[in-house]
Amino acid sequence: MNQQATLLTPDQVSSLLGVKKHTLAVWRSSGRYNLPFIKAGRLVRYRLSDVETFLNEQRRLSTDVLEASA
C-alpha cells in the first residue's frame, strides 16, 4: 500500500499531532483547520499524505501572522 493510500485512525492522528481525539472532532465539525478527512458511515479516517501536508503548512519562521514580502 503506498503512502497516498495509507489511512490513519483519529487515535493515530491525535498521537502524531499531539492533540486529543476530541480536538480533531472539533476541527472536523468547525472546519477550523484545513485537515481533510474521509468519512464512511461512522468511520473517520485521514490519509497519511494529507496529515503530512497539513504539518508542512503549519511551519512558521516566526510568530508573525503575516509573512514579510520579499
Side-chain angles (χ1 to χ4, degrees):
M1 185 178 281
N2 67 27
Q3 180 180 351
Q4 174 77 18
T6 301
L7 297 178
L8 303 173
T9 66
D11 284 328
Q12 292 170 311
V13 175
S14 69
S15 216
L16 191 66
L17 297 180
V19 300
K20 294 182 179 185
K21 195 165 88 167
H22 175 74
T23 299
L24 291 176
V26 170
W27 291 358
R28 285 193 306 270
S29 65
S30 69
R32 179 171 183 179
Y33 291 103
N34 185 23
L35 180 56
F37 61 94
I38 297 165
K39 187 134 170 64
R42 295 188 314 177
L43 295 178
V44 173
R45 296 293 183 261
Y46 296 86
R47 283 191 183 122
L48 177 57
S49 60
D50 289 337
V51 174
E52 289 175 339
T53 298
F54 171 77
L55 285 171
N56 287 331
E57 290 171 352
Q58 304 312 306
R59 291 185 66 201
R60 301 288 186 267
L61 297 176
S62 72
T63 56
D64 287 344
V65 175
L66 300 175
E67 292 185 21
S69 300

